[in-house]
Amino acid sequence: EAGVTQFPSHSVIEKGQTVTLRCDPISGHDNLYWYRRVMGKEIKFLLHFVKESKQDESGMPNNRFLAERTGGTYSTLKVQPAELEDSGVYFCASSQSRRTDTQYFGPGTRLTVL
Amino acid sequence: AQKITQTQPGMFVQEKEAVTLDCTYDTSDQSYGLFWYKQPSSGEMIFLIYQGSYDEQNATEGRYSLNFQKARKSANLVISASQLGDSAMYFCAMREYYGGSQGNLIFGKGTKLSVKP
């Protein structure tokens, strides 16, 4: 069974540009989460989808971040326009139908904003 | 507020020896779960072990065990018979089931474990 996949693995962009990160969860997983780790700090929750619906987006830092989950399958996280402080590693995780199920993580996307 | 504390930024252990990675947590919720994840240099986050707050027995998964002391609010990870491949960052995480985080994971800052040959 394929795990959580993320694309791209690395992205280097300039301040003011737009970047879109993609996450493909494990097949059949209803729950999809985005997390972010900024250098030297804890991994922080960004938002949670249940199927195609946003369950909780309380961790989204500001309105430059837009997440979607088309048809309850893959998800995208767009940053527009990117700022220097957006640099970090963005992780996606998925879990089965129950909120209490274990979350399995993807390899992350390392975003560098210059 | 919910919080996870990992007080050891870095640890060294000799190959084949056991090592304990510390984790303390803070929550007012009665129902929660505790997790450990491993992040090798390749970057992926690998789920290792889970302990539910109502589980009476300490969780074990192969060479990993979780020393759960509820009254002390600690959930230390014990790795027995360390291997060179155990060198990685280790993250402790918590999820509240009915509290404010509503299922999201709260992470500690991590401990970097280095296994010496």
Side-chain angles (χ1 to χ4, degrees):
Chain A
E1 180 182 317
V4 178
T5 58
Q6 293 187 245
F7 183 83
S9 56
H10 292 86
S11 181
V12 180
I13 60 172
E14 294 192 350
K15 177 182 171 181
Q17 290 186 322
T18 298
V19 64
T20 300
L21 314 180
R22 174 170 169 146
C23 168
D24 286 78
I26 294 171
S27 177
H29 280 195
D30 289 339
N31 292 284
L32 187 149
Y33 302 81
W34 284 98
Y35 294 86
R36 175 174 76 170
R37 187 182 188 206
V38 173
M39 179 71 74
K41 299 200 173 181
E42 296 94 333
I43 301 168
K44 295 281 194 184
F45 163 77
L46 295 178
L47 87 156
H48 170 207
F49 284 98
V50 178
K51 297 184 180 179
E52 67 275 7
S53 300
K54 289 178 187 174
Q55 182 74 16
D56 180 358
E57 51 185 333
S58 61
M60 295 286 262
N62 51 61
N63 58 11
R64 294 185 294 102
F65 289 75
L66 175 64
E68 295 179 329
R69 189 177 183 193
T70 307
T73 55
Y74 70 92
S75 174
T76 57
L77 179 65
K78 180 189 287 188
V79 185
Q80 179 182 28
E83 297 289 344
L84 299 178
E85 64 265 25
D86 300 332
S87 295
V89 181
Y90 290 76
F91 290 102
C92 174
S94 71
S95 67
Q96 288 183 319
S97 55
R98 295 181 307 172
R99 189 161 44 85
T100 55
D101 287 326
T102 295
Q103 295 178 26
Y104 295 93
F105 281 72
T109 293
R110 182 174 295 278
L111 174 65
T112 303
V113 182
L114 302 175
Chain B
Q2 317 96 325
K3 188 176 179 181
I4 294 284
T5 302
Q6 294 180 254
T7 57
Q8 307 151 315
M11 288 277 287
F12 287 92
V13 65
Q14 201 68 39
E15 192 179 10
K16 298 182 185 177
E17 292 186 349
V19 63
T20 298
L21 306 184
D22 294 342
C23 173
T24 58
Y25 59 92
D26 189 17
T27 178
S28 56
D29 207 7
Q30 295 300 310
S31 183
Y32 52 88
L34 297 156
F35 302 79
W36 279 90
Y37 287 86
K38 171 185 177 182
Q39 187 184 38
S41 56
S42 51
E44 74 270 31
M45 294 275 284
I46 303 167
F47 165 70
L48 294 179
I49 196 167
Y50 162 80
Q51 178 88 41
S53 58
Y54 291 115
D55 294 342
E56 294 186 355
Q57 304 258 5
N58 284 344
T60 60
E61 288 286 348
R63 293 186 299 111
Y64 304 108
S65 60
L66 200 152
N67 185 0
F68 180 46
Q69 298 187 43
K70 195 170 182 177
R72 293 185 174 187
K73 292 190 175 178
S74 75
N76 298 339
L77 177 71
V78 180
I79 305 174
S80 63
S82 297
Q83 301 172 356
L84 296 178
D86 294 334
S87 295
M89 280 290 286
Y90 288 81
F91 292 97
C92 180
M94 176 177 68
R95 181 168 64 202
E96 294 176 335
Y97 295 142
Y98 299 105
S101 66
Q102 290 292 304
N104 314 319
L105 290 172
I106 301 156
F107 284 88
K109 288 190 175 182
T111 295
K112 185 173 183 179
L113 177 67
S114 299
V115 180
K116 298 186 288 185

